[in-house]
Amino acid sequence: MKKTYLAFAFAAATLLACNSGTSSNTADSTTTFNDSNNTSAMNNGNDTSATTMNSMNTDTKPVSDMDKQFMMDAAAAGNTEVMAGQVAQNMAKNDRVKNFANMMVNDHTKAGNELKTLASQKNVTLPDSVMPKQHDALEGLRKTSAKNFDKEYIDMMVKDHKEAVSKFQMASEKCDNGDVKTWAANTLPTLKMHLDSAQAIQKALK
């Protein structure tokens, strides 16, 4: 009986050890425009996706320059969607637009957390905010009148997600590193759903 108890305790301890894990992150603000209203927006929040990504580090070969560029572009674009979504949460009047904005903040924060974990595993430094062009777009959105805001925001989301779907589709096929390719492929369906939703709302607002 004593031997059985010890064996059970050892198995439980082993299971707990296997299920534990930590993730680290890196950021390089020198390569991005540091948005003063909301930096690292996509990197905030707790999500179990980090633990999931820890188990995906299976391709040990160095990440190519093409893959690094995709990861950096994806991080900056995701930050933009979170920041724009937060602006829309406060300024949008239409309920469908507000709900869409909430989805943007939640989904892109989750994807950003996954990408941070992957980048840490691959020793890739991600931007912690947005690029200058994206900053200008966000500033323009913040200055949009209440009357025109919903349409301007959704038009921006349709444009952004068309670009994102195209880039993620290519990355899911062309990335050299298997883990980066898998993350792009896994994220792509959500981006396509976002685009479909944004286009439906855009049509309804006309």
Side-chain angles (χ1 to χ4, degrees), residues 37-53:
N37 289 288
N38 193 339
T39 59
S40 304
M42 195 168 181
N43 298 332
N44 293 330
N46 297 320
D47 191 88
T48 56
S49 58
T51 302
T52 302
M53 292 299 295

Side-chain angles (χ1 to χ4, degrees), residues 32-33 35 38-44 72-86 104 108-109 112-113 115-116 126-131 134 138 142:
T32 65
F33 191 100
D35 189 279
N38 193 339
T39 59
S40 304
M42 195 168 181
N43 298 332
N44 293 330
M72 293 172 65
D73 289 346
N79 288 338
T80 303
E81 303 314 319
V82 173
M83 293 178 189
Q86 290 171 335
M104 290 301 96
H108 283 282
T109 297
N113 288 335
L115 183 56
K116 277 184 62 183
L126 298 177
D128 61 356
S129 188
V130 300
M131 299 302 178
Q134 294 162 331
L138 286 167
R142 291 185 180 108

